[in-house]
Amino acid sequence: MPRVTNAQHRMIALFGRSSRPARVRTFSRSRAAASTTLKTLDFLERRRCGAGARMAAMGRTWRALSVSNQPFAANRYSRENAGISSVSAAHSVRTGPPWTGRNRLRCGDGRRDGKEMALHDRALPGLPPGRHFDDRGTGLFFFVRPDGSRSWGQRLRILGRQRDLGLGPYPEIRLSAAREAAKVNKEAARDGRDPLAEKRARREAEAPRSMADALAAWIEAHSPAWRSAKTKPMVEASMKLHARRLLRIPAKDVTIEDVRAVLAPIWNTKPVAAKKLRGWLDNVLEFAIAAGWRSGENPATPRRLKPLLSRPGAARVVRNHPALPLARMHDFMALLRDRDGAAARALEFAILTAARSGEVRGATWGEIDLDRRLWVIPAARMKVAKEHRVPLSAPALAILIDQLPGDGSKPDPAALVFPGQRQGRPLSDMTLLKILRDLDAGDRKGGGPGWRDEQGHVAVPHGFRSAFRDWCALTGKDHVAAELALAHSVGSAVERAYRRADLVEQRAVLMRDWAAFIDAPPAQVVPLIRARDAS
């Protein structure tokens, strides 16, 4: 049996094995024919061509080499086993190898798709369904779908991978414009760039930015300056809850009616949330205008919305934080001191210093000066972003001493004074409120009135600051000292600029008197009996 070469093996794998091996020898009658055949097969495999295109390409190759392809064309067994129809191998009249010049192969579906042709504007409407490649060598093709719609495309090898690009519909895109776009893409691919990725990036850059994009960009730009880590999730949650429909609208298309539709349902029922939401919308739209994503006026400013919405909270009665009556402060503190745990001590310390709950829960030993009996809260933890010095009374100092490590060692300056259950984490903001609710429930269960204000609402930690301010007013304490003890801003900006003293010595006396008032039992009130009733 004659020896079968490597090229013949690959031909047999591509077209099927002949029942008469003598026929196979016609595939490689010379070394040049074998080399050319192998090169043709490499090209066909890279292009992943169909059977019809393979036959046409091999026919052109053999004809160019003056090698008769008649024995193979007559080999019915090979043709049928390869699944090839009776399409003639001489399908194309062009000569030369399929990888050179105008004979470069275009693989298709066996119709006109695999052929290059000179496209003309007048002939485009009459072309049959399929892909019709232009003969300019850029990979441009005119795609006609079975339903009659037409569009432009381009087949390119981008970064080693064959890709099809869409160039737009016809007749909106004319032949000359399609050829120019295909030429640009071809040059980009030749330079090692990805025209498909560049097109996608241009489309994203030109797309209108939505309110969701503006919100995310505004938060990213301004959140580093926010003092509380809870502000960012609070803004995102509120916007998604109340302004979800607005986030889907492009920022350039938001109107004052869109803003009013978002604010109106909560304007009177939730005035605090509505006021914050309006401010956030105002800031986001101002950011969009500054970033060039929107032009014109901002529809969320108070001036634009004032004619459409009522005064914020006008229809809602404002309720202050529930606070215990001063006459019951002594009994409450006595009950609180009988309760163990860091949370109970934190609440007691907050009452004695008239400080905010968050300031007490976040206090560290580095802020405490036991020798000077002073608690210095840094500006980063204060609501007014200004350092606040708190003089410590004897009962407040005793609480801190009890919180020191039991082994007598010096505490870590970064350690929390009132640590939570998790290592290194502060107490939750609900922990102190839960103590008040538990004490109220226990007192009412025993037949008492509970620990509530005069309207019957359970007292809250912030209400003790109100009780302290009422005590200052009733006992004639200095107004400025009382406001500074609460870390409030007193007077105008000019007054604050000239009054730089924080009156810490005067406030030390104030906090000492407040602690003495709490420790003293309430005075016994003896009702006076009129003489007429006595007789």
Side-chain angles (χ1 to χ4, degrees), residues 439-506:
L439 292 176
D440 174 77
D443 189 70
R444 291 176 67 85
K445 187 176 181 179
W451 304 105
R452 306 190 171 205
D453 64 359
E454 296 177 353
Q455 286 74 35
H457 302 108
V458 180
V460 298
H462 199 83
F464 290 101
R465 287 167 54 86
S466 300
F468 169 77
R469 190 63 185 86
D470 291 341
W471 172 80
C472 290
L474 292 174
T475 55
K477 304 299 181 183
D478 182 71
H479 168 75
V480 175
E483 290 297 313
L484 291 177
L486 295 170
H488 288 167
S489 297
V490 184
S492 64
V494 176
E495 291 178 301
R496 293 195 297 271
Y498 281 94
R499 186 186 63 248
R500 301 180 182 179
D502 60 356
L503 307 181
V504 67
E505 293 83 3
Q506 187 174 346

Side-chain angles (χ1 to χ4, degrees), residues 276-360:
K276 291 181 179 179
L277 182 62
R278 189 216 59 78
W280 294 331
L281 290 174
D282 187 0
N283 292 332
V284 171
L285 289 169
E286 283 293 338
F287 180 89
I289 293 173
W293 300 347
R294 176 187 174 85
S295 59
E297 284 192 278
N298 184 350
T301 59
R303 180 181 62 83
R304 299 289 305 279
L305 291 171
K306 185 176 181 179
L308 301 176
L309 299 170
S310 62
R311 185 168 56 87
R316 183 172 180 265
V317 178
V318 178
R319 183 167 62 90
N320 296 323
H321 292 282
L324 277 180
L326 291 175
R328 304 198 65 199
M329 286 294 299
H330 173 78
D331 296 337
F332 175 79
M333 289 294 286
L335 183 63
L336 180 63
R337 284 165 178 164
D338 292 337
R339 195 178 181 96
D340 296 330
R345 300 289 74 76
L347 179 58
E348 182 183 358
F349 187 76
I351 295 173
L352 290 170
T353 57
R356 296 181 177 89
S357 169
E359 297 163 1
V360 173

Side-chain angles (χ1 to χ4, degrees), residues 71-89:
F72 178 77
N75 190 342
R76 181 175 56 84
Y77 181 86
S78 298
R79 190 168 62 249
E80 290 174 354
N81 278 273
I84 304 172
S85 63
S86 58
V87 178
S88 173

Side-chain angles (χ1 to χ4, degrees), residues 137-344:
T138 59
L140 175 68
F141 63 85
F142 185 68
F143 184 35
V144 183
R145 296 178 179 83
D147 61 0
S149 60
R150 293 167 166 79
S151 62
W152 295 101
Q154 186 180 13
R155 181 166 294 174
L156 280 179
R157 183 166 294 276
I158 301 173
L159 303 177
R161 181 183 174 188
Q162 183 172 289
R163 308 288 294 275
D164 283 356
L165 288 71
L167 300 182
Y170 176 85
E172 286 80 0
I173 305 297
R174 309 301 297 181
L175 175 59
S176 59
R179 282 175 171 168
E180 183 64 28
K183 180 180 178 182
V184 173
N185 292 337
K186 183 76 172 180
E187 293 175 353
R190 187 184 297 116
D191 295 339
R193 307 199 316 269
D194 187 351
L196 194 60
E198 294 176 358
K199 178 182 178 181
R200 189 180 298 113
R202 287 194 302 269
R203 185 183 303 163
E204 293 177 356
E206 295 172 358
R209 299 299 185 98
S210 65
M211 280 292 290
D213 298 332
L215 173 64
W218 174 72
I219 290 176
E220 182 180 0
H222 292 273
S223 58
W226 295 342
R227 292 193 300 271
S228 175
K230 298 181 180 180
T231 304
K232 179 180 177 180
M234 180 176 65
V235 172
E236 294 174 341
S238 181
M239 293 289 283
K240 291 179 180 178
L241 178 63
H242 301 296
R244 183 180 295 273
R245 61 174 298 272
L246 198 63
L247 295 179
R248 296 191 292 263
I249 302 177
K252 65 182 183 64
D253 297 335
V254 176
T255 64
I256 190 172
E257 180 58 30
D258 296 327
V259 177
R260 190 202 66 81
V262 168
L263 295 176
I266 61 172
W267 192 253
N268 293 318
T269 58
K270 301 177 180 179
V272 176
K275 183 178 179 180
K276 291 181 179 179
L277 182 62
R278 189 216 59 78
W280 294 331
L281 290 174
D282 187 0
N283 292 332
V284 171
L285 289 169
E286 283 293 338
F287 180 89
I289 293 173
W293 300 347
R294 176 187 174 85
S295 59
E297 284 192 278
N298 184 350
T301 59
R303 180 181 62 83
R304 299 289 305 279
L305 291 171
K306 185 176 181 179
L308 301 176
L309 299 170
S310 62
R311 185 168 56 87
R316 183 172 180 265
V317 178
V318 178
R319 183 167 62 90
N320 296 323
H321 292 282
L324 277 180
L326 291 175
R328 304 198 65 199
M329 286 294 299
H330 173 78
D331 296 337
F332 175 79
M333 289 294 286
L335 183 63
L336 180 63
R337 284 165 178 164
D338 292 337
R339 195 178 181 96
D340 296 330

